[in-house]
Amino acid sequence: MLMTVLGEYVLPRQDPVWTSSLVDALALFKVEEKSARQALARASGEGWLKSERAGRRVRWVLTPPGRRLLSEGAERIYGFGRQTGQWDRTWLVLLVSVPESQRDLRHRMRTRLSWAGFGSPAPGVWISPNTAAEAEAARLVAELTDGGQAMSFVASYAEIGDEQQMVARAWDLRELEHHYERFIDEFTGLAPRSGEAVLLAQTRLVHEWRRFPFLDPDLPRSLLPDRWSGTQAAELFLTRHAEWRDEAQQHWDSFVESGD
């Protein structure tokens, strides 16, 4: 939640923010003061925030790496779900084997490749319809192994088997659709009336939506089920975010000023 608040409200501004303002903002989402301060300390320890002392008070500014991290995250969050162009029906296939005995490495490999949009239809086989993901896959393999355990291919699906069944084995689209439907149910009828309510709604909207780029491989439309709820969810996110943006930003300014 701290990263959501920083990305949505602190990133667009150059001004530092008092500790009390950030703690009070997180308190709106039932985050206790101790946990909020621990989150700030962790963010500082990671190099995303830098503290400045002004008398007996402390305020925070985003570091250059912190601004870069949040800017990249914003591009991914706000651009997600806006597919353009046609898929050329080419697959990137990655073969990478990690021994069963190295369970921690297997888990890290699965987690990192899944976040990069890859799915695994069979043990040791990872696929992506985005052939441009090969550079990221190569980096991940190099970081986690000696590189000699992996091979990659670019290919089109042939005559044996069924492409849609391969997709169903590689990604749990049914479970993903349930997540989208819950998002749609939560925000379709939401109509905040006050400035604080709009701030809360906007923050929750972004906080919930930011999970989807890590859950959803963003497959081409031709590989998705009919009436894919992810499309409706993306339209809802963009519409609600645009509706609430100005008032949420204005209320953040007044919220921060009241804590000065």
Side-chain angles (χ1 to χ4, degrees), residues 173-193:
L173 296 181
R174 185 170 299 177
E175 177 64 20
L176 177 59
E177 193 155 36
H178 289 329
H179 287 297
Y180 276 130
E181 287 168 357
R182 285 196 291 270
F183 179 88
I184 292 168
D185 289 343
E186 180 175 358
F187 292 103
T188 293
L190 195 61
R193 301 297 183 186

Side-chain angles (χ1 to χ4, degrees), residues 36-255:
R37 291 181 181 276
Q38 288 173 342
L40 285 168
R42 286 197 299 270
S44 176
E46 294 288 340
W48 313 134
L49 287 173
K50 181 177 66 173
S51 62
E52 297 178 346
R53 186 165 291 279
R56 299 179 64 181
R57 303 179 68 192
V58 175
R59 57 189 182 183
W60 299 87
V61 294
L62 290 169
T63 63
R67 283 195 169 275
R68 186 164 58 251
L69 173 76
L70 292 173
S71 296
E72 291 172 355
E75 289 178 9
R76 188 167 186 179
I77 291 168
Y78 302 131
F80 184 74
R82 299 182 179 184
Q83 285 196 29
T84 58
Q86 294 291 322
W87 180 44
D88 63 3
R89 307 203 67 81
T90 302
W91 289 94
L92 172 62
V93 182
L94 177 67
L95 306 181
V96 56
S97 178
V98 178
E100 180 70 33
S101 59
Q102 296 179 279
R103 292 187 177 181
D104 182 61
L105 177 58
R106 287 169 64 91
H107 174 73
R108 283 186 290 151
M109 181 72 73
R110 175 172 290 276
T111 299
R112 298 280 295 277
L113 286 173
S114 295
W115 283 0
F118 284 81
S120 179
V125 180
W126 292 86
I127 59 174
S128 171
N130 177 19
T131 56
E134 186 169 20
E136 186 169 3
R139 180 175 57 80
L140 294 178
V141 170
E143 287 179 5
L144 298 175
T145 72
D146 61 9
Q149 304 176 42
M151 295 177 286
S152 64
F153 305 87
V154 174
S156 58
Y157 199 90
E159 298 296 326
I160 300 173
D162 182 271
E163 191 173 41
Q164 291 294 340
Q165 290 182 6
M166 178 186 72
V167 170
R169 289 197 299 269
W171 294 281
D172 190 350
L173 296 181
R174 185 170 299 177
E175 177 64 20
L176 177 59
E177 193 155 36
H178 289 329
H179 287 297
Y180 276 130
E181 287 168 357
R182 285 196 291 270
F183 179 88
I184 292 168
D185 289 343
E186 180 175 358
F187 292 103
T188 293
L190 195 61
R193 301 297 183 186
S194 66
E196 180 175 304
V198 172
L199 177 72
L200 288 170
Q202 181 80 317
T203 308
R204 281 175 47 211
L205 178 82
V206 175
H207 190 66
E208 292 300 318
W209 183 253
R210 65 181 294 170
R211 298 183 305 152
F212 287 110
F214 299 101
L215 296 174
D216 188 342
D218 202 20
L219 298 175
R221 296 284 173 84
S222 60
L223 297 175
L224 295 171
D226 293 335
R227 297 187 297 278
W228 175 241
S229 59
T231 303
Q232 182 184 349
E235 293 172 353
L236 176 64
F237 169 75
L238 294 171
T239 300
R240 288 288 182 267
H241 191 270
E243 287 176 354
W244 297 337
R245 179 178 53 225
D246 290 346
E247 189 169 357
Q249 295 291 335
Q250 290 169 8
H251 190 75
W252 173 262
D253 287 334
S254 63
F255 182 85

Side-chain angles (χ1 to χ4, degrees), residues 5-15 62 67 78 249:
V5 169
L6 293 175
E8 188 68 14
Y9 304 110
V10 179
L11 178 64
R13 297 163 173 80
Q14 298 296 325
D15 298 332
L62 290 169
R67 283 195 169 275
Y78 302 131
Q249 295 291 335

